[in-house]
Amino acid sequence: MISATGIDESSLHYRGWRVVMACFLMAFFMFGFGLYGQGVYLAELQRAHGWPGSLVSAASTFSFLLTSVLVIFTDDLLARIGLRSLILCGLSALGASTALLAVMQTPWQLYLAYALMSVGWTGMGTVVIATVLNAWFERRRGLALSLAFNGATCGGIVLVPLLLSLSSSIGFRSAMLAATMAMIVLVLPVVAFFIGWPSQMSPASGGRPVGTATPAHSRKTLLANAAFWTMVLPIAIALLAQMGFIIHQVTFLEPLVGRYTAGLAVTIMAAMAVVGRLSLGLFVDRLDPRLACAVSMTSQAAALFVLVQSESPTVLLMCCAVYGFSIGNMITFPPLIIQREIGSAAFAAAMGLGTSISGIVSAFGPGIVGLVRSLTGNYTAAFALCVALDLVAAGVVLWRPGPRVKIVAS
């Protein structure tokens, strides 16, 4: 596992920080195109082809669910084709997806593009980034993960406004093709030169210590491990509540504070997500990640509780800022908890399974919040449900059933 004893992970000359930079760029484009950019595609494809919003939204759901299945096999792919090859396959698939979105003419091409995007998630998403950084860092793992995953938030802050601006000036097709070309030019050389396993790790190990359990064996053992479920289920529940609030945030705020202030709230929340990740990264390696995770979930519950009680623009913006502080950390905590309690032998398998379960569960968040809002006529009950879910998740993540079990070869 990990960097060799005696290596100074704090040194800027340590090669692991170049790997962090590569992972930052991967997250920037993967989340920018694959998550935050989907709102742009919805509007532009409706405008260009007259397709109903339900068609494009269904393609998004299809993509997220397919991604949740594919990431389960990340560990197998790392061992079979290697780290760099997997990332390059993901980059190629994402580039093909965004290029196809630019030139498509029929609905089947839309679903093909979103299927390719799922392959991109498998090669460039959370599981691969967490696995490679887990191999490079031990003492500064939390900071490395926080810096790399900040690329995800920056992708939303930078790439989405850029796509909107370019679409207005040169058209959606040209904007997507230009952004795709920029991604290839920036990411390809960085991956080719910087990405790899530490020198003491076998390239064929898939990020696991040589001689440890096979991926299939690791997954079966994980599913029977109660500690694994107390890591995965709380994150999945918290992400369900989080996705529900994020998707409905503007719809809730706009009648109260107007469109401009509602947009400002989204910007503040995204900016605070960056601040939250950086702040956590500086201290999390000295904290109990389960306790820190529970505190983050509780802070989100408190912010939502105050949010539904107030109509003051200042208070509403402050609540969005507090809520945003913990948004990004929901994908930073799982690899830290998994490494500490499961170990490196099944790290990629645990990340793949956990990400899959969280992805499937959280996909229902927007729908559940929307349904409760429709049944009650307002967001009070819907967001109260999110508060309750966050508190339940905070309680479950603190539960440590039995001794910590690290999966090793049988």
Side-chain angles (χ1 to χ4, degrees), residues 1-4 7 14-16 18-19 23 26 74-87 123 126-137 191-210 339 344 347-349:
M1 182 186 84
I2 327 295
S3 42
I7 291 177
Y14 178 51
R15 186 187 165 193
R18 290 182 293 232
V19 178
C23 290
M26 288 161 51
T74 302
D75 198 14
D76 305 80
L77 292 169
L78 285 169
R80 187 175 297 272
I81 69 174
L83 174 63
R84 188 177 286 117
S85 296
L86 178 58
I87 294 175
T126 307
V127 179
V128 167
I129 291 173
T131 300
V132 68
L133 292 180
N134 177 68
W136 278 99
F137 290 90
V191 169
F193 289 106
F194 293 164
I195 286 290
W197 298 119
S199 57
Q200 66 271 23
M201 179 174 288
S202 167
S205 67
R208 304 185 308 277
V210 178
Q339 171 56 40
S344 294
F347 182 87

Side-chain angles (χ1 to χ4, degrees), residues 100-377:
L100 184 55
L101 283 169
V103 301
M104 67 174 52
Q105 297 296 324
T106 59
W108 73 264
Q109 293 173 325
L110 172 66
Y111 279 80
L112 175 59
Y114 275 60
L116 288 168
M117 193 173 291
S118 296
V119 178
W121 277 111
T122 307
M124 293 174 56
T126 307
V127 179
V128 167
I129 291 173
T131 300
V132 68
L133 292 180
N134 177 68
W136 278 99
F137 290 90
E138 183 172 4
R139 293 177 293 278
R140 306 295 289 171
R141 184 180 292 121
L143 178 60
L145 286 167
S146 296
L147 290 173
F149 284 142
N150 260 332
T153 307
C154 291
I157 294 173
V158 175
L159 192 56
V160 171
L162 181 61
L163 285 176
L164 290 171
S165 177
L166 288 175
S167 296
S168 298
S169 58
I170 62 177
F172 177 67
R173 175 176 179 173
S174 298
M176 288 296 291
L177 292 176
T180 300
M181 184 60 65
M183 175 182 68
I184 299 298
V185 169
L186 289 172
V187 177
L188 182 59
V190 171
V191 169
F193 289 106
F194 293 164
I195 286 290
W197 298 119
S199 57
Q200 66 271 23
M201 179 174 288
S202 167
S205 67
R208 304 185 308 277
V210 178
T212 54
T214 64
H217 175 77
S218 298
R219 286 193 289 268
K220 290 179 183 178
T221 308
L222 285 165
L223 291 174
N225 186 348
F228 171 75
W229 287 105
T230 64
M231 302 175 212
V232 170
L233 286 181
I235 295 294
I237 293 170
L239 286 175
L240 183 149
Q242 186 168 285
M243 288 292 288
F245 172 68
I246 290 172
I247 298 301
H248 290 270
Q249 180 186 14
V250 172
T251 307
F252 168 74
L253 290 174
E254 190 172 347
L256 297 175
V257 297
R259 178 173 297 230
Y260 171 79
T261 305
L264 178 62
V266 175
T267 302
I268 290 173
M269 188 173 68
M272 286 301 293
V274 175
V275 174
R277 271 209 191 98
L278 290 175
S279 301
L280 178 75
L282 294 175
F283 302 104
V284 73
D285 292 304
R286 299 191 292 272
L287 301 176
D288 179 342
R290 280 186 181 262
L291 179 58
C293 186
V295 171
S296 292
M297 293 169 176
T298 303
S299 72
Q300 288 192 327
L304 273 184
F305 179 79
V306 175
L307 190 82
V308 297
Q309 307 298 320
S310 177
E311 294 184 0
S312 165
T314 301
V315 173
L316 293 174
L317 289 176
M318 289 178 62
C319 289
C320 290
V322 172
Y323 194 91
F325 190 83
S326 295
I327 280 180
N329 293 331
M330 286 302 113
I331 64 172
T332 302
F333 286 123
L336 296 174
I337 298 173
I338 287 170
Q339 171 56 40
R340 183 170 295 194
E341 300 189 14
I342 299 296
S344 294
F347 182 87
M351 278 297 301
L353 273 177
T355 302
S356 175
I357 294 167
S358 297
I360 292 171
V361 172
S362 63
F364 291 96
I368 291 174
V369 170
L371 177 62
V372 175
R373 194 263 182 191
S374 297
L375 292 175
T376 60

Side-chain angles (χ1 to χ4, degrees), residues 35 56-57 141 207 247 325 397:
L35 179 61
V56 185
S57 298
R141 184 180 292 121
I247 298 301
F325 190 83
V397 81

